[in-house]
Structures are given as C-alpha cells and as structure tokens.
Amino acid sequence: MPDLSGKAVIVTGASRGIGAATAMELAQCGASVILAARTENQIKHNAQQIRNHGGQAEAVICDVSKYKDVQGLISHCESTFGRLDALINNAGVIDPIGHIATSDPAAWKQATSINFDGVYHGIRAALPIMMAQKYGTIVTIGSGAAHSALEGWSHYCSSKAAAHMLTLCAHKEAAASGVHVVSLSPGTVATEMQVLIKASGINPVSQMDHSDHIDAEWPAKTICWLCSEGASEYAGQEISLRDADIRRRVGLVSE
Ligand code: NAP
C-alpha cells in the first residue's frame, strides 16, 4: 500500500463504483480526499464512511460537464488543503446505448460532454495549480472502448478516444513542470455501469457474465499506486489492468 499521507486528492464520480472504491482506498493510504459527483446524499455518505474509518474526506457536489462546477471543486481543494496533489478523472457514463441513426442528439452530446469535456475541465482547472507547485498527478480512467469500435457505443468509444488523446497531450505540456498525467484502462469492472450494459443486450460486452468482471477494488488500488512515486515511469502512457505485468506491479496478483 503506497504512503500518500499529506496528499490532497480529488476523485470525480465518487458516488459509487470505481470512484467510491478509489476514494476509500486513497484515504486508507493516508490521503485527504474530496469526493465529487452529482448525487449529494451518496457522496456525503461515502465521505462519512471514510471518516468513520479514521480517514479525512469531504463531499463536493459537481457536474463535470459544467466547467464552473469543476473550477469550484478544484478551488475548494486548494483553499481547504492548500494544494492539489492528484486529480482522478473518473466520472463517466455509458448511457444512452443505441445506434447512431436513431440516437437523440441532445442525449448523445450530454454523454460526450461528461466523458470528454469533463476530463478537459478537470485537466484545465488542475494544471495551473499543479504546474505552479511543480508536483501533481492526473489519472484519467480510460477504456478499451477508446481503441475498439463497438456497436451501440459510438458516444462512449468516441469520447473515451478523445479523452485518451487529451490525457497524453496534457502530459506533453505538463511533464517539464513535474506533473504526471496518465491513463488507466481498467478492463471490465463489476459496477452499475456493467448492469446497464448487460440490460442493453447490444454488443459482446453485454453478453458477459457479472462474475467475468473484476472488483472495483483492483482499479482503486491501481490508482493509489499511480499516485505514488513508484509508478512514475508510466507517466504519459495508458496502462491496462488486463496487463499481467501491471497486475503484478500493483501487487494485485503474486509474482
Ligand atoms: P458507475 O458505477 O456508473 O459510476 C459512475 C460515476 O460517475 C458515478 O459516481 C456518477 O455519479 C459519476 N458521474 C456520472 N456523470 C457525472 C457528471 N456529469 N458529473 C460528475 N459525476 C458524474 O461506473 P464505473 O464503472 O464506476 O465507471 C467509472 C469510470 O470507469 C467511468 O469513466 C467509466 O467509463 C470507466 N470504465 C468503467 C468500466 C467498467 O467495466 N465498469 C470499464 C472501463 C472504464 P453521479 O451519477 O452521482 O453524478
């Protein structure tokens, strides 16, 4: 378990799934965590759970598709903790699953503005602070869908591909200031997103069994590791939890 004592970390999409597990794991590693999402009672509940376990956590309502919300979130972290050591760009949606020819333009655009604009908003607001302090890590939660076209997922594949490229571009611009930007492709994870995918019945991912997916604890532990010096060689890259070497490096499986 990496030692993240004294670090201030923001996790977007922390109301459930990978984000909630990551917030808990980061706190167990000693970090002070800000949990952000739209569902107030859920992030407040998760933050309380962390405090009940002796950790430091706060909940901030934030819709990542709105830049003002994200700016407010980042400023809150800076004013509360005096710094921002890591930002986990985790918020994302799979809905609306469906074919392009029958898609609702407003719903399609809303999904891409969460999955892509949301990542841009986080990086845009965090970089000036991290570059000034000459330290920081930004982790974007990517997806295999960024590199593989899937029926019914045009909004998801396109926005994840765009977020992937943005993450690599951000690293090019920030690395010289000591800021690491990295992407994690988690594989398939047993969260509510996979429940929605299964219910859609579209494309091979929906045919997978819930037991085929990894537990959210795996990406959570991997994200903590990515926030530590031990993972600095992977900055500017996308790593995948399908990669057996990465699973070993994080300590998820034995040698
Ligand atoms: P999940 O259980 O559905 O959780 C998604 C989270 O994103 C929730 O906390 C949700 O909170 C938040 N969110 C959605 N829209 C938001 C918005 N506009 N502003 C702020 N927060 C928002 O899904 P998950 O599986 O944990 O997914 C987390 C990330 O992993 C996503 O980026 C997803 O694309 C990626 N991923 C997942 C899988 C998988 O198999 N599960 C595979 C590859 C990548 P609110 O609704 O409360 O706002």
Side-chain angles (χ1 to χ4, degrees):
M1 190 181 264
D3 181 7
L4 302 177
S5 309
K7 309 254 185 245
V9 185
I10 293 174
V11 183
T12 68
S15 61
R16 58 176 186 269
I18 296 171
T22 299
M24 178 59 87
E25 197 69 34
L26 284 162
Q28 282 170 358
C29 291
S32 301
V33 187
I34 294 187
L35 296 90
R38 297 166 302 180
T39 313
E40 184 177 12
N41 61 351
Q42 200 54 56
I43 44 172
K44 281 190 167 162
H45 169 82
N46 295 347
Q48 187 59 51
Q49 289 282 104
I50 290 173
R51 290 193 293 271
N52 291 348
H53 283 82
Q56 198 174 354
E58 287 200 21
V60 174
I61 303 162
C62 172
D63 179 340
V64 296
S65 69
K66 297 178 181 158
Y67 186 55
K68 272 210 158 89
D69 277 20
V70 177
Q71 257 184 324
L73 169 68
I74 304 271
S75 308
H76 181 85
C77 183
E78 206 188 14
S79 59
T80 307
F81 301 114
R83 52 189 299 112
L84 169 62
D85 295 292
L87 166 68
I88 316 304
N89 279 319
N90 166 75
V93 290
I94 190 72
D95 266 339
I97 296 173
H99 292 155
I100 302 166
T102 50
S103 58
D104 169 19
W108 200 98
K109 179 91 177 64
Q110 174 59 16
T112 60
S113 74
I114 294 169
N115 293 348
F116 175 51
D117 297 357
V119 173
Y120 164 71
H121 292 157
I123 291 174
R124 169 64 184 88
L127 276 188
I129 296 168
M130 291 181 172
M131 289 167 80
Q133 70 193 15
K134 302 227 170 295
Y135 180 84
T137 303
I138 299 176
V139 181
T140 297
I141 308 307
S143 170
H147 313 290
S148 174
L150 283 154
E151 182 193 352
W153 288 19
S154 62
H155 57 311
Y156 190 76
C157 294
S158 328
S159 53
K160 285 292 185 184
H164 166 72
M165 188 50 73
L166 171 65
T167 299
L168 301 193
C169 289
H171 184 76
K172 284 254 180 250
E173 295 181 13
S177 304
V179 179
H180 293 168
V181 193
V182 62
S183 180
L184 169 67
S185 179
T188 62
V189 187
T191 65
E192 201 170 304
M193 187 172 280
Q194 285 296 341
V195 175
L196 294 173
I197 291 168
K198 187 144 199 68
S200 75
I202 299 181
N203 85 37
V205 186
S206 73
Q207 303 307 312
M208 293 174 75
D209 193 80
H210 210 62
S211 61
D212 296 332
H213 309 311
I214 58 169
D215 193 87
E217 200 178 274
W218 277 27
K221 285 186 188 302
T222 309
I223 290 163
C224 292
W225 171 71
L226 284 170
C227 291
S228 72
E229 289 304 322
S232 55
E233 72 196 79
Y234 295 100
Q237 299 179 35
E238 178 179 67
I239 64 157
S240 170
L241 264 179
R242 293 186 192 278
D243 181 339
D245 285 341
I246 294 293
R247 290 180 176 201
R248 275 193 289 275
R249 279 293 302 271
V250 181
L252 301 172
V253 294
S254 47
E255 292 297 319

